[in-house]
């Protein structure tokens, strides 16, 4: 071997050796700057509260700032697309929701992303769906409400965060179960779950069926009256409210909200592992648990693999419901 070739080989091996050292060092340094969690809905709603609750734990574990950015619009598609297009370095993440990550992909064939176009990091919590009316409403029970809708189709209206969202699915499933047409109660769309609740408070609409997260404070303050929850068992925060099965409409149990943490496609495995550590810490964190209780979430941390399985089952379920209800 010529001396020149020897030095070239030596330099090459040295570079490779340095790379093998630098790569794990870079991985160990994640994150070395603030991480952004994109919430694809407006501030103040259940998705926003879930993200901020997680951020508190994450900042303690990662020793970095967590920036919450609300990118609402198009039933969550705008914020979701932003994260799909982000660099896969773990610095831009998505607060995934059932509406934007399961319902919308299930029913919108021309959507710019699919349900599995993301890196699955972990499920965070489940959100029971509750149907509410204003506390001054004449409807004292779920039966009162359904009787009024049946007696005068087209008279009552309800708030949702748009066609194809879980709020719309819940009300449409009620109408279908009553053997009524989709317009037997009129949908009025708002930008997010929190605004849909405000519409009931302001008496702009007669009722709304959405995540308990958005309505719990107003229920506990007596400004809203809860008529039914979609969970198989009663929710401990509102124990007097009957379940869907108890009011004779068990099919409503198919409608449940949830939050998860997703990343862009092909996200760095090292960054994923770091966030799995964060979620494990959250699961044992008393403040994170208490935060869930405050906004009506039921903690349910899952691994990346189990989160993907869960998301797949939700996509299939809403594909079937979309077909049955004729919602596109």
């Amino acid at each position: 071997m010529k001396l020149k070739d020897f030095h070239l080989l030596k330099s090459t091996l040295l570079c490779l050796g340095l790379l093998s050292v630098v790569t794990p060092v870079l991985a160990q340094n994640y994150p070395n700057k603030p991480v952004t969690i994109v919430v694809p809905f407006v501030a103040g709603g259940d998705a926003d509260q879930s993200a901020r609750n997680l951020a508190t734990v994450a900042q303690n574990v990662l020793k970095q700032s967590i920036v919450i950015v609300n990118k609402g619009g198009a039933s969550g598609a705008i914020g979701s697309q932003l994260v799909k297009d982000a660099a896969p370095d773990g610095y831009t993440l998505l607060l995934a929701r059932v509406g934007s990550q399961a319902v919308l992909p299930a029913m919108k064939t021309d959507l710019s992303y699919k349900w599995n176009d993301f890196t699955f990091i972990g499920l965070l919590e489940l959100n029971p769906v509750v149907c509410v009316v204003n506390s001054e409403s004449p409807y004292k029970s779920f039966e009162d409400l359904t009787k009024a809708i049946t007696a005068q189709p087209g008279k009552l209206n309800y708030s949702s965060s748009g066609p194809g969202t879980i709020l719309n699915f819940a009300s449409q499933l009620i109408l279908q179960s009553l053997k009524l047409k989709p317009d037997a109660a009129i949908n009025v769309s708002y930008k997010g779950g929190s605004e849909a609740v405000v519409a009931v408070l302001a008496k702009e609409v007669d009722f709304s069926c959405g995540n308990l997260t958005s309505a719990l404070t107003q229920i506990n303050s007596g400004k809203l009256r809860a008529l039914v929850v979609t969970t198989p068992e009663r929710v401990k925060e509102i124990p007097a409210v009957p379940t869907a099965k108890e009011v004779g409409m068990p099919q409503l149990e198919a409608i449940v909200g949830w939050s998860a943490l997703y990343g862009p496609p092909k996200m760095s495995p090292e960054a994923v592992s770091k966030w799995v550590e964060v979620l494990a810490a959250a699961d044992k964190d008393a403040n994170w648990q208490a935060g869930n209780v405050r906004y009506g979430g039921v903690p349910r941390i899952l691994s990346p693999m189990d989160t993907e399985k869960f998301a797949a089952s939700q996509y299939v379920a809403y594909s079937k419901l979309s077909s049955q209800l004729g919602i596109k």
Side-chain angles (χ1 to χ4, degrees):
M1 179 182 289
K2 294 181 180 179
L3 184 61
K4 183 174 67 174
D5 293 336
F6 172 76
H7 285 305
L8 180 61
L9 177 60
K10 184 179 177 181
S11 298
T12 302
L13 290 173
L14 179 61
C15 288
L16 289 174
L18 285 174
L19 281 175
S20 67
V21 173
V22 171
T23 300
V25 169
L26 289 175
Q28 290 168 9
N29 286 341
Y30 173 86
N32 55 26
K33 62 181 181 179
V35 177
T36 296
I37 297 180
V38 176
V39 178
F41 297 98
V42 296
D46 32 31
D48 185 62
Q49 292 182 69
S50 179
R52 294 179 191 281
N53 193 34
L54 176 63
T56 302
V57 180
Q59 287 175 160
N60 292 333
V61 176
L62 299 177
K63 309 303 180 187
Q64 280 290 345
S65 298
I66 307 298
V67 181
I68 306 300
V69 175
N70 296 89
K71 288 287 183 181
S75 301
I78 293 174
S80 298
Q81 185 65 44
L82 188 153
V83 175
K84 183 196 169 187
D85 294 339
D89 54 11
Y91 288 97
T92 304
L93 305 177
L94 176 69
L95 196 289
R97 293 290 294 178
V98 57
S100 50
Q101 269 55 64
V103 177
L104 205 55
M107 54 169 286
K108 190 170 172 58
T109 56
D110 61 346
L111 190 65
S112 58
Y113 60 87
K114 297 182 175 62
W115 73 272
N116 57 352
D117 272 349
F118 300 87
T119 297
F120 298 94
I121 300 174
L123 190 71
L124 300 176
E125 83 273 339
L126 301 178
N127 303 123
V129 167
V130 60
C131 294
V132 297
V133 295
N134 190 286
S135 59
E136 297 179 4
S137 168
Y139 313 120
K140 308 295 184 184
S141 66
F142 186 70
E143 184 181 13
D144 288 345
L145 177 64
T146 55
K147 281 184 176 179
I149 296 172
T150 304
Q152 295 179 296
K155 180 180 179 182
L156 274 64
N157 56 15
Y158 64 91
S159 58
S160 81
S161 46
T165 62
I166 194 168
L167 282 76
N168 183 247
F169 263 90
S171 297
Q172 283 297 308
L173 187 54
I174 290 171
L175 298 179
Q176 186 200 55
S177 301
L178 295 172
K179 302 187 185 324
L180 298 173
K181 294 181 179 179
D183 59 356
I186 308 303
N187 173 66
V188 182
S189 297
Y190 293 82
K191 288 183 179 180
S194 58
E195 292 190 5
V197 168
V198 170
V200 182
L201 290 169
K203 299 181 182 179
E204 295 173 3
V205 296
D206 297 295
F207 69 99
S208 187
C209 297
N211 291 315
L212 178 61
T213 309
S214 296
L216 184 60
T217 299
Q218 306 299 342
I219 293 171
N220 288 336
S221 69
K223 295 179 180 179
L224 291 179
R225 180 183 300 127
L227 305 181
V228 64
V229 291
T230 64
T231 45
E233 298 83 26
R234 293 195 180 198
V235 177
K236 62 181 180 180
E237 286 77 25
I238 46 173
V241 181
T243 66
K245 190 178 294 182
E246 288 175 326
V247 299
M249 204 170 281
Q251 52 271 48
L252 270 180
E253 289 182 3
I255 309 295
V256 63
W258 49 266
S259 296
L261 190 66
Y262 286 7
K266 300 179 181 179
M267 181 172 149
S268 159
E270 293 81 14
V272 172
S273 295
K274 202 69 179 176
W275 276 96
V276 169
E277 290 179 24
V278 171
L279 299 193
D283 205 21
K284 299 175 183 177
D285 187 275
N287 290 328
W288 183 79
Q289 297 278 350
N292 274 279
V293 171
R294 281 195 300 273
Y295 59 72
V298 179
R300 192 177 179 185
I301 300 293
L302 293 182
S303 69
M305 184 180 295
D306 287 338
T307 298
E308 183 172 2
K309 290 178 181 177
F310 174 80
S313 69
Q314 284 283 284
Y315 171 74
V316 170
Y318 283 103
S319 294
K320 290 179 180 178
L321 277 174
S322 173
S323 177
Q324 292 171 4
L325 298 174
I327 299 177
K328 294 293 180 184

